[in-house]
Amino acid sequence: TIRHVSAFFASPLSWIFDDPSNTGWNEPDDSGEMLGNGFAWGQSSHLLAWIYHVAGSEQLVPSRVYCAMTTSEKTGADVSHAATVTCQNGATFSLSGTSLLPGNAHSDPPVAKRIKIKIFGTHGALFFSGNDRDPSSGKLEWLRGDDHDNVGAVEIQCPELGFEFEDLDQEGIGPESLQCFIDACLGCDDFYP
């Protein structure tokens, strides 16, 4: 059973959210149902897709959410957020992110996204962190909590992969993480390739 999640995602995207001409990223759509737009709206799906794939959608069903955001002075888009989520099973979830990482993901050389995810449960803890441009920058660690002889022992999961957060291919219908998040929201059982 998952008891706590701590997740952080930073991306070098200030250039998008501070540019008034990027209305698709910075303004609510025409439906009248969106309260705003920006980094939390457009980028949190990447982080949440990974978490819900690992945790399973039944483990982290939100019952209460509190979120604070900072916004761009030029566009009003959110550029940073910090949320606290209480789930139906009593788990707590801390989610934060920012577009204020210096640089540009599309520059030469590109600046990578930074991700830190920690999931704590009754059978141990998972730690996953790194940057999405360098597989050697991180790994998936499991700290055992269910075996009395090896409590706290660290096991590296999939060591040959290193840190792989998402497919960065620009072709197709968007990052796999976004497609997986949409499938999870739609209730699909098998939502991660």
Side-chain angles (χ1 to χ4, degrees):
T1 302
I2 293 176
R3 310 273 315 275
H4 179 72
V5 176
S6 174
F8 171 75
F9 181 50
S11 191
L13 294 174
S14 290
W15 60 277
I16 289 177
F17 300 115
D18 278 340
D19 183 349
S21 70
N22 288 321
T23 57
W25 287 99
N26 299 326
E27 295 179 7
D29 65 16
D30 294 333
S31 70
E33 296 179 11
M34 287 180 72
L35 298 177
N37 206 343
F39 186 79
W41 287 93
Q43 298 298 302
S44 292
S45 60
H46 300 258
L47 185 61
L48 290 167
W50 193 95
I51 292 166
Y52 277 97
H53 168 64
V54 171
S57 57
E58 71 284 347
Q59 285 279 320
L60 296 172
V61 178
S63 60
R64 289 185 307 170
V65 178
Y66 171 80
C67 185
M69 296 180 166
T70 57
T71 57
S72 166
E73 293 178 7
K74 296 177 185 174
T75 66
D78 70 84
V79 294
S80 296
H81 63 276
T84 300
V85 180
T86 304
C87 299
Q88 289 177 359
N89 68 352
T92 53
F93 190 161
S94 170
L95 175 72
S96 65
T98 186
S99 66
L100 301 176
L101 186 65
N104 185 321
H106 304 286
S107 62
D108 186 20
V111 175
K113 299 170 191 156
R114 306 297 171 133
I115 298 98
K116 289 186 179 189
I117 303 168
K118 300 173 185 175
I119 301 174
F120 300 86
T122 53
H123 296 291
L126 286 176
F127 295 160
F128 188 58
S129 65
N131 83 59
D132 71 336
R133 299 254 178 212
D134 180 7
S136 69
S137 69
K139 57 189 169 265
L140 177 63
E141 298 177 282
W142 175 34
L143 279 71
R144 297 181 63 105
D146 61 345
D147 184 339
H148 293 293
D149 294 332
N150 292 312
V151 170
V154 177
E155 293 183 17
I156 306 302
Q157 305 296 306
C158 307
E160 68 283 355
L161 294 179
F163 185 80
E164 289 193 0
F165 183 65
E166 65 184 351
D167 183 358
L168 296 175
D169 186 3
Q170 295 297 309
E171 301 300 318
I173 57 174
E176 290 172 345
S177 58
L178 175 60
Q179 297 307 313
C180 295
F181 183 64
I182 292 169
D183 287 347
C185 290
L186 292 173
C188 298
D189 291 330
D190 185 19
F191 53 85
Y192 209 77

